Amino acid sequence: MTTTHLRHDAPLDDPLDDFSHRVIDIDSVGKTVHVTGSGPAVVLLPEMPGISPDVARLARWLRDAGFRVYLPSLFGVDGAYPTADAGQAVVRRACVSAEFRAFAGGGTSPVVAWLRGLARVAHAECGGPGVGAVGLCFTGNFALTMTLEPAVIAPVVNHPSLPLDDPAGLEIAADDAARVAERVRRDGLTVLAYRFENDRWCTGRRFAAYRALLGDAFDGRVLADDAANTNPPPFFRDVVGCAHSVTTAHLVDERGHPTTRARDEIIAFLAERLGTTAPGIRADGPA
């Protein structure tokens, strides 16, 4: 394993001190959930290797756009800057965890049942027509499988990387896939999704598999690789090794940039589905 060093301008860990911190119990399983904002509920799932400062930044953008954001701790160290060595250790632990199905043939990750329960709790607390779910990377497909909870009406699937060993596969059991497709068809849901063109973790073949399952309800959008931030944290530079995280590590925070447009499209999608009005968006986040 190659030892990497932080870039000289590496940000500090994020203390998440503008979030409330709760342990939410679903079916006798308690997990820490960081909550911020008011308005319709959005469950934002962390990407590997955890709730990084970039994931927390996305949560704040969603909060400032008028949503109450529920950010569950699923792996890693909450708020930690994603270094290569520490990130690889988190990946190894997640891949052997009973909560996740990281490889082909594993079916739906068991943790999704807990996340559906979190969506029910969020909807009960916030009201409104339903809940948004935004998955990222390792958790990307979880946002889709969460639609088996009726409260989830706005799924966003960002660069889903599972199963890790099947670039054309979907991290979902066959019976769950059929139920998801039926729910999407019956209730007229749209599934918004993003990836970079040559992402080796979320390939065009994977997006094709989503479209085969969901048809025109799958709105898969592809960004050019040269739109990605060229100076991401070490985990994304040295372990991920390609343009991957559209709205977090590889986002370029400039007005009109393709990645910030993607962020704004996600906010607009959630606002439309959840019945709120998103504020104007500036380069450093919602106005």
Side-chain angles (χ1 to χ4, degrees), residues 155-168:
V156 182
V157 178
N158 282 305
H159 45 89
S161 62
L162 300 187
L164 296 173
D165 58 344
D166 182 1

Side-chain angles (χ1 to χ4, degrees), residues 190-221:
T190 296
V191 179
L192 183 59
Y194 289 87
R195 58 179 290 270
F196 283 106
E197 185 175 11
N198 292 301
D199 185 350
R200 64 192 180 99
W201 302 103
C202 180
T203 66
R205 293 167 63 195
R206 197 180 313 282
F207 264 32
Y210 279 107
R211 180 166 290 279
L213 176 65
L214 302 171
D216 291 342
F218 180 70
D219 183 359
R221 305 182 183 185

Side-chain angles (χ1 to χ4, degrees), residues 41-267:
V42 173
V43 178
L44 173 63
L45 308 177
E47 69 183 345
M48 193 59 67
I51 301 175
S52 69
D54 288 328
V55 171
R57 178 181 63 173
L58 177 58
R60 294 182 179 103
W61 280 331
L62 292 170
R63 174 196 66 195
D64 294 346
F67 303 106
R68 182 167 175 83
V69 182
Y70 293 73
L71 179 57
S73 178
L74 301 182
F75 39 71
V77 178
D78 297 350
Y81 180 75
T83 64
D85 290 351
Q88 286 179 308
V90 173
V91 173
R92 287 193 293 269
R93 289 193 295 269
C95 285
V96 299
S97 168
E99 290 196 300
F100 304 105
R101 297 290 185 263
F103 302 105
T108 302
S109 288
V111 73
V112 178
W114 190 92
L115 293 169
R116 292 198 294 263
L118 175 60
R120 288 192 297 273
V121 169
H123 191 215
E125 292 181 352
C126 298
V131 174
V134 180
L136 302 169
C137 178
F138 200 84
T139 66
N141 187 66
F142 297 177
L144 175 63
T145 319
M146 285 175 68
T147 61
L148 294 179
E149 162 54 46
V152 177
I153 61 173
V156 182
V157 178
N158 282 305
H159 45 89
S161 62
L162 300 187
L164 296 173
D165 58 344
D166 182 1
L170 301 181
E171 181 274 336
I172 186 170
D175 57 341
D176 283 345
R179 293 167 60 209
V180 164
E182 170 58 22
R183 164 85 204 282
V184 167
R185 183 201 62 77
R186 183 183 69 245
D187 293 346
L189 300 187
T190 296
V191 179
L192 183 59
Y194 289 87
R195 58 179 290 270
F196 283 106
E197 185 175 11
N198 292 301
D199 185 350
R200 64 192 180 99
W201 302 103
C202 180
T203 66
R205 293 167 63 195
R206 197 180 313 282
F207 264 32
Y210 279 107
R211 180 166 290 279
L213 176 65
L214 302 171
D216 291 342
F218 180 70
D219 183 359
R221 305 182 183 185
V222 182
L223 279 63
D225 293 352
D226 62 8
N229 173 19
T230 58
N231 191 28
F235 176 81
F236 294 90
R237 183 189 65 217
D238 300 332
V239 179
V240 175
C242 62
H244 178 64
S245 297
V246 174
T247 57
T248 52
H250 288 108
L251 180 139
V252 177
D253 194 6
E254 297 175 356
R255 183 183 296 275
H257 190 273
T259 55
T260 57
R261 287 201 303 268
R263 175 202 65 193
D264 298 349
E265 290 164 3
I266 290 169
I267 289 172

